[in-house]
Amino acid sequence: MIKFIFRGVLRDRTRTLFPFLTVAIGVGLAVFLDAYLRGTTDSMFNTTARLVCGHLMVTTSAGAHAGEYATPELALLDVTPRQQELENSYPEVVWTPRIRFGGIIDIPDSTGMTRAQVPVSGMAVDLSPGGIEHKLLRLDRILVRGKTPRNTKQILLSEQLSQRLGLNPGDRLTLITMTADGGMAIADFTLAGTIRFGITALDRSVLLDSIADLRQTLGLPDGATEILGFFKNGVYNDRRAINISRHYNARHTHPDEFSPLLRPLREASGMGQLIDIVANATGLILTIFIIAMAVVLWNAGLINSLRRYNEIGIRLALGESSRDIYLSLLAEAFFIGLLGSTAGTLLGLGAGFYMQRVGLNISGMMRNATVLIDDVLRARIAPVTFFIGFIPGLFATLLGNAISGLAVFRRQTAQLTKEFSE
Amino acid sequence: MKKLLFLALLTGITPPDGNLLLEKIDKNISGTTRRLVAEMRIVRKRGTRTLRVRSYVKGDSAFTEYLAPEREKGTKLLKLGKDLWIYTPESDRTIRISGHMLRQSVSGSDLSYEDMLEETRLKDAYTASTIGADSLNGRPVWVLELTARKPDIAYQKRRLWVDGERHIVLKEERYSRTGKLLKTTAVLETKLFDGRWVATRATFRDMLRANGENESLPGTEFTVEEVQFDAPTPPGLFSRSSLRR
């Protein structure tokens, strides 16, 4: 019987082509959308994580309260033992300390007098070759001129700012900032190279320094404004991040404003609402997709019923029960759904795979943007992408045909001969 | 004003002319030259820092050298009219403080570099009117309201509580153009040096900082250890070349 129905589906194209195409296109779109949405949000979250707050962020309570206005005065102390504790407690996360600071760079003229002064937004990280920050900040990719610092008292500066100030690698500059105890820190540096993150908000005034150098300048031995944590698989896991933060904070409940506070990306970046929207968006897209496709297929089923009006009448007249005919229509729908969903999934995966490998360059649209997002948008195919469209595609086909097929139970055969003669 | 008239009728004391009182304040504090050694106690969230400085003032020029702590020893500040330079021995650079830097705090204190560029003589920068009478630290004081003569002056309005007899300011409030309270000064001790009354201990508070996360902090305490009026100054002191000496 199954073989018979399957053959009928394959041979009678007028019965199958439209529902097949509908399911295939719908499923294909759903699969691609899932991969695209996943990739885009990953890009947004990971860019924010890499450059701002990690997947997890430990700061002092006062530092968390001050947010982007936090100064090294509110930094964490005894970072090495704290980092060790984090590494032992949460081995699936890799941890790295950073110092975020503001300051002014003073450019001397040939006589050593001030030629220019500009405010900078600084970040001090572990710049050692092969270190985790090399990978996180993609130092090899963002370097425009010069080289990454190899010696002490060398810094990297935004290419945009360097161009504006007429600075070249090897030039001397002075950083003026505030020490951890509120004093003034003035230190001389050599420009090792220039960088471009490709993110306008950062490229205006970013300065990268070695954390060891800056600790000395700020009088902050073994201190950091933050310790950032990154899941080793590179993907932000919101639920796990929340659990880790609850667990860690429960163990560090001191009333002191300098006590450590661990926050997941959703809190540290203020992106919690966005994360929730994205999480719900996939479900919403699929629901709309199932409803829309079911309506289309219901309609297709109704047209099909009209076209097969005589066939159903004859089958009833020959003694086949309405229930059997209805079940055979559902079986046909199952096969169409199966074929359409398989084709659609392959189609969506193909497009998604292309976007994952090649991506879409949006740098032209991001010139004046202030959001932290990569210039190339990429999709990401996750295990769930393989069946996210398949099951709804099958379900929508069955649902559409189940509704339209109900007409079988209302089919009358009393005037069958008269209908044929007409 | 009504209060002043009532006071005048009641006591027979006539409120002094504000501008005249301002002139007397200027005369009391300024000599040909002034040399002072002072200590600045800066209370921050993470602890207290104490700076010791030696300053020379001559007209609208000033030279300050940090004597302690060790980390900041040898740092020098030079003011020549409207220009300000800083020199630090560790970078061996003379850096001009201008633009963004003027608003920065001096060594984490409640004072900004802009405060250091203020006109030395109040009368040249402000017009004053007497708006009331009060009592402070057990001394009768006149309350003066100062209005800036020029729009480029950092504090467009000031309110001073002035000891009319000793010609010394005992309390001060500095306001922005919009009337927002920016800084306060409270004199805690005064002393007589060479026939002039000098505030020897005072607390400065940056109210923008105090209203934020540093609400509980007391501000910056300034204690004068030595004052010498009309003292000789080292030759060539008020020049940029003296910074690297």
Side-chain angles (χ1 to χ4, degrees):
Chain A
M1 182 65 184
I2 292 169
K3 204 173 169 186
F4 172 75
I5 293 169
F6 192 61
R7 273 190 187 159
V9 165
L10 289 178
R11 286 177 183 170
D12 183 4
R13 282 192 191 160
T14 51
R15 196 195 302 177
T16 56
L17 192 63
F18 180 71
F20 170 80
L21 286 177
T22 309
V23 176
I25 292 168
V27 170
L29 276 175
V31 169
F32 177 72
L33 265 177
D34 177 75
Y36 178 75
L37 206 64
R38 223 172 268 280
T40 314
T41 49
D42 274 4
S43 165
M44 200 185 296
F45 295 154
N46 281 334
T47 309
T48 305
R50 282 190 309 105
L51 302 173
V52 183
C53 59
H55 293 146
L56 293 148
M57 185 189 206
V58 185
T59 57
T60 57
S61 302
H65 182 69
E68 61 182 298
Y69 301 107
T71 60
E73 195 179 5
L74 307 177
L76 286 161
L77 301 179
D78 306 319
V79 166
T80 308
R82 287 187 199 285
Q83 193 176 335
Q84 195 64 56
E85 183 204 351
L86 287 161
E87 276 162 8
N88 294 339
S89 305
Y90 315 108
E92 75 269 45
V93 183
V94 61
W95 301 90
T96 181
R98 286 184 186 173
I99 299 176
R100 211 167 285 276
F101 62 100
I104 286 168
I105 52 166
D106 183 280
I107 321 296
D109 61 14
S110 56
T111 63
M113 296 304 292
T114 297
R115 174 169 70 81
Q117 276 179 358
V118 283
V120 286
S121 154
M123 189 157 67
V125 301
D126 173 16
L127 287 174
S128 56
I132 180 187
E133 294 285 11
H134 254 262
K135 193 177 154 206
L136 287 171
L137 298 175
R138 299 170 185 171
L139 282 179
D140 295 331
R141 274 170 56 184
I142 62 170
L143 194 71
V144 182
R145 287 185 289 153
K147 55 187 180 187
T148 51
R150 295 270 188 269
N151 303 313
T152 57
K153 299 287 177 191
Q154 290 189 330
I155 56 153
L156 294 169
L157 191 66
S158 139
E159 167 69 6
Q160 191 181 324
L161 193 60
S162 305
Q163 290 282 4
R164 189 152 61 87
L165 296 169
L167 286 171
N168 293 306
D171 283 353
R172 179 192 179 196
L173 46 89
T174 305
L175 172 70
I176 304 159
T177 183
M178 193 182 267
T179 61
D181 59 1
M184 183 188 257
I186 299 182
D188 258 13
F189 289 93
T190 304
L191 182 65
T194 64
I195 47 173
R196 187 189 294 125
F197 282 100
I199 295 163
T200 314
L202 272 176
D203 286 336
R204 281 189 205 112
S205 61
V206 74
L207 180 151
L208 266 187
D209 186 13
S210 136
I211 195 165
D213 260 4
L214 200 80
R215 277 174 171 165
Q216 205 180 349
T217 305
L218 302 184
L220 194 63
D222 206 18
T225 53
E226 60 228 27
I227 304 172
L228 302 187
F230 296 86
F231 287 109
K232 283 179 179 166
N233 65 4
V235 180
Y236 176 63
N237 181 337
D238 193 40
R239 193 174 296 172
R240 180 66 186 135
I242 292 169
N243 285 340
I244 289 175
S245 71
R246 281 185 188 148
H247 180 256
Y248 183 84
N249 294 336
R251 280 167 37 185
H252 297 84
T253 48
H254 311 296
D256 184 358
E257 61 180 335
F258 293 108
S259 61
L261 180 73
L262 197 157
R263 289 174 298 154
L265 182 138
R266 63 156 50 236
E267 282 174 34
S269 65
M271 292 172 92
Q273 218 172 354
L274 186 64
I275 291 170
D276 291 338
I277 289 170
V278 168
N280 294 328
T282 313
L284 191 71
I285 287 171
L286 287 176
T287 309
I288 294 169
F289 158 70
I290 292 171
I291 293 169
M293 220 161 48
V295 169
V296 172
L297 291 166
W298 174 14
N299 195 35
L302 285 175
I303 294 166
N304 218 17
S305 299
L306 282 175
R307 206 177 55 78
R308 297 171 72 183
Y309 190 74
N310 288 344
E311 179 204 324
I312 291 164
I314 291 168
R315 284 169 71 177
L316 284 170
L318 288 173
E320 203 174 343
S321 71
S322 301
R323 185 176 161 276
D324 286 347
I325 296 172
Y326 183 71
L327 286 175
S328 74
L329 287 177
L330 287 185
E332 280 179 26
F334 177 79
F335 283 121
I336 293 167
L338 195 71
L339 289 171
S341 296
T342 307
T345 301
L346 290 173
L347 193 75
L349 284 174
F353 185 69
Y354 175 81
M355 274 290 284
Q356 185 172 291
R357 290 294 297 271
V358 180
L360 177 69
N361 193 329
I362 56 160
S363 56
M365 293 180 250
M366 302 296 290
R367 269 188 203 117
N368 298 313
T370 50
V371 287
L372 296 180
I373 189 163
D374 278 341
D375 283 349
V376 178
L377 287 184
R378 289 176 199 279
R380 179 168 68 84
I381 294 169
V384 75
T385 318
F386 285 86
F387 55 85
I388 201 156
F390 192 88
I391 295 164
L394 202 60
F395 179 69
T397 322
L398 280 171
L399 184 70
N401 279 278
I403 298 166
S404 64
L406 289 173
V408 170
F409 295 98
R410 291 195 294 273
R411 180 71 168 97
Q412 300 295 321
T413 52
Q415 299 203 5
L416 197 62
T417 321
K418 194 183 168 193
E419 281 170 19
F420 285 150
S421 62
E422 284 171 357
Chain B
M1 203 62 193
K2 277 180 190 167
K3 209 171 152 187
L4 270 182
L5 284 170
F6 179 71
L7 185 80
L9 284 172
L10 203 70
T11 60
I13 302 168
T14 319
D17 174 67
N19 290 315
L20 207 65
L21 198 51
L22 216 54
E23 205 174 319
K24 286 178 179 169
I25 295 167
D26 283 339
K27 202 175 166 193
N28 176 59
I29 200 69
S30 57
T32 319
T33 56
R34 188 170 78 240
R35 177 187 174 276
L36 66 86
V37 177
E39 202 175 77
M40 201 151 71
R41 192 168 166 270
I42 305 159
V43 184
R44 305 283 303 192
K45 273 177 173 277
R46 272 234 150 91
T48 302
R49 296 168 61 239
T50 306
L51 298 176
R52 203 155 171 270
V53 295
R54 180 172 51 222
S55 291
Y56 293 89
V57 183
K58 186 180 181 183
D60 59 358
S61 301
F63 182 94
T64 301
E65 183 175 1
Y66 287 51
L67 307 174
E70 197 56 41
R71 191 184 163 88
E72 279 158 80
K73 192 175 171 180
T75 299
K76 293 164 190 167
L77 281 161
L78 174 70
K79 178 196 167 195
L80 294 176
K82 286 281 174 198
D83 295 317
L84 193 63
W85 287 273
I86 187 166
Y87 169 83
T88 58
E90 54 189 19
S91 71
D92 193 26
R93 289 259 342 258
T94 302
I95 294 164
R96 185 173 179 179
I97 297 177
S98 61
H100 309 283
M101 275 191 75
L102 286 171
R103 299 265 164 89
Q104 302 292 314
S105 137
V106 178
S107 301
S109 71
D110 287 59
L111 292 164
S112 68
Y113 291 103
E114 209 165 36
D115 292 336
M116 299 185 78
L117 283 177
E118 287 271 279
E119 286 272 359
T120 325
R121 291 171 61 85
L122 286 169
K123 198 171 172 294
D124 293 343
Y126 295 94
T127 56
S129 57
T130 312
I131 59 162
D134 206 342
S135 165
L136 212 62
N137 304 347
R139 300 281 309 164
V141 290
W142 293 108
V143 185
L144 299 190
E145 191 161 272
L146 276 58
T147 309
R149 288 182 191 272
K150 288 175 266 180
D152 62 339
I153 288 171
Y155 305 104
Q156 286 294 300
K157 277 201 185 301
R158 288 190 185 195
R159 193 166 284 184
L160 309 182
W161 280 254
V162 182
D163 185 326
E165 204 177 299
R166 296 175 173 177
H167 306 138
I168 182 171
V169 178
L170 296 183
K171 185 181 162 186
E172 185 181 347
E173 290 173 351
R174 299 180 182 195
Y175 295 88
S176 71
R177 195 183 303 272
T178 55
K180 191 176 176 74
L181 179 61
L182 299 175
K183 299 251 166 99
T184 63
T185 308
V187 172
L188 308 172
E189 279 174 23
T190 56
K191 216 170 172 180
L192 195 63
F193 285 94
D194 302 332
R196 300 166 196 253
W197 283 96
V198 175
T200 49
R201 199 158 71 87
T203 304
F204 297 94
R205 277 197 98 183
D206 179 338
M207 297 311 287
L208 295 183
R209 248 171 59 173
N211 288 336
E213 61 193 48
N214 296 302
E215 201 172 358
S216 55
L217 302 182
T220 300
E221 195 177 291
F222 201 79
T223 308
V224 175
E225 291 174 4
E226 297 169 32
V227 189
Q228 213 180 339
F229 289 95
D230 303 322
T233 54
L237 186 73
F238 299 106
S239 70
R240 278 191 299 180
S241 57
S242 69
L243 287 167
R244 296 180 79 170
R245 246 181 250 160

